[in-house]
Amino acid sequence: MSLAGNRTLDILSKAEKGKYGILAQSCYDSTMALGLVRAAERAKSPAILQLFPITVKALGGEFLRFCLDVAHNASVPIAVHLDHATDEEALEISVGLAERGIPFDSIMVDASHADTDEENIAIAKPWIARCHAAGVATEVELGRLEGGEAGLRVVTGTVFTDPKKAEAFMKETGADILAPCVGNRHGSYHFLGLKPENEWDMELLQTLGDQFKGRIPTCAHGTDELPDSLFEDMIRRGVSKINVNSWCRDPYAEALSKGLASKPFPEAQEEAIEVMAKNCERFFKLFNSAGKA
């Protein structure tokens, strides 16, 4: 099936041309999804509603269908992306849903745990072919990010993306979006005594952005605890998809927990949705995507 008109790729292509970033926000339940959509509509911003395979596994195809409904029926362009499908079970569940008529927009086929680039390609390639046959765009990681989050395996041993290998890697896998490793990591930097601005190799990010400009979007992972200036810099260097998790998740969870302790459920839920929306709106403004839809 052709990927012409694929929602994720269209959103990212416009962002790259317009020199703004796209918030790809991880959502764990229906009210987080509603908060993201509310914020995007209010800010008139495109967005990506992102789900981990563990969430889809726990809540099933009907939850994925709900997310597709709220995203695709929004008044602004919102895609649904499945992040970090790292093993055969997660991939089979996710890709199987697309093949059975619940066609989400894109997925990360993550084989970065492989020992070699060749093994990464061998694992990812057949899944990517199945995704494309179902009209689903694909993201891959070249190199390896340390850390872990949301039920994913904890990975050790950072491997930076080699620009000299990147062209062949993308061609061999057939993937559509590149998630590079430039010193970024999943989870907390501060817990390990690190400053993220000292870890990210922005010149490498620039090199990759220039190399794939207009052809393959680049995606930033590992954005917890980053200063605003680093987000702005990565967009200047060509990043269009920016994955965000705890920045919006944690205030939402705290608001819901506190609200449920003293208020009726619907009232607590509404307050949490609004907290989620306001935190998403901050990123739409920071990424300069507000008003672009």
Side-chain angles (χ1 to χ4, degrees), residues 172-229:
E172 284 294 314
T173 59
D176 311 290
I177 303 164
L178 173 63
C181 178
V182 295
N184 42 331
R185 59 172 294 115
H186 291 122
S188 175
Y189 296 84
H190 297 163
F191 181 76
L192 299 174
L194 303 173
K195 290 185 176 181
E197 55 268 39
N198 295 337
E199 301 301 311
W200 285 60
D201 185 340
M202 302 307 285
E203 293 305 317
L204 174 56
L205 196 63
Q206 178 80 61
T207 297
L208 292 164
D210 291 343
Q211 183 175 346
F212 291 111
K213 185 177 181 180
R215 298 186 296 124
I216 294 172
T218 50
C219 172
H221 288 245
T223 65
D224 286 353
E225 304 167 345
L226 267 60
D228 288 358
S229 59

Side-chain angles (χ1 to χ4, degrees), residues 60-77:
E62 290 308 309
F63 177 66
L64 176 56
R65 193 184 297 277
F66 167 83
C67 290
L68 286 164
D69 285 345
V70 297
H72 291 180
N73 289 313
S75 60
V76 294

Side-chain angles (χ1 to χ4, degrees), residues 53-120:
I54 191 173
T55 306
V56 176
K57 181 181 178 181
L59 300 180
E62 290 308 309
F63 177 66
L64 176 56
R65 193 184 297 277
F66 167 83
C67 290
L68 286 164
D69 285 345
V70 297
H72 291 180
N73 289 313
S75 60
V76 294
I78 303 177
V80 176
H81 175 88
L82 303 192
D83 193 28
H84 287 293
T86 62
D87 57 46
E88 188 169 347
E89 181 185 17
L91 284 160
E92 189 58 59
I93 289 171
S94 303
V95 179
L97 287 170
E99 291 172 335
R100 293 194 300 274
I102 309 180
F104 48 90
D105 301 297
S106 53
I107 185 171
M108 183 183 188
V109 180
D110 183 3
S112 62
H113 53 276
D115 291 330
T116 65
D117 293 344
E118 291 73 20
E119 185 185 357
N120 188 334

Side-chain angles (χ1 to χ4, degrees), residues 26 28 52 83-84 141 144-156 158 183-197 199-200 220-227 230-231 243-247 249-250:
S26 296
Y28 294 82
F52 286 112
D83 193 28
H84 287 293
E141 182 177 316
R144 185 182 301 126
L145 272 71
E146 285 196 346
E149 58 184 349
L152 302 176
R153 70 181 78 197
V154 176
V155 176
T156 58
T158 296
N184 42 331
R185 59 172 294 115
H186 291 122
S188 175
Y189 296 84
H190 297 163
F191 181 76
L192 299 174
L194 303 173
K195 290 185 176 181
E197 55 268 39
E199 301 301 311
W200 285 60
H221 288 245
T223 65
D224 286 353
E225 304 167 345
L226 267 60
L230 192 50
F231 284 113
N243 288 8
V244 172
N245 187 9
S246 64
W247 284 106
R249 178 200 66 197
D250 290 356

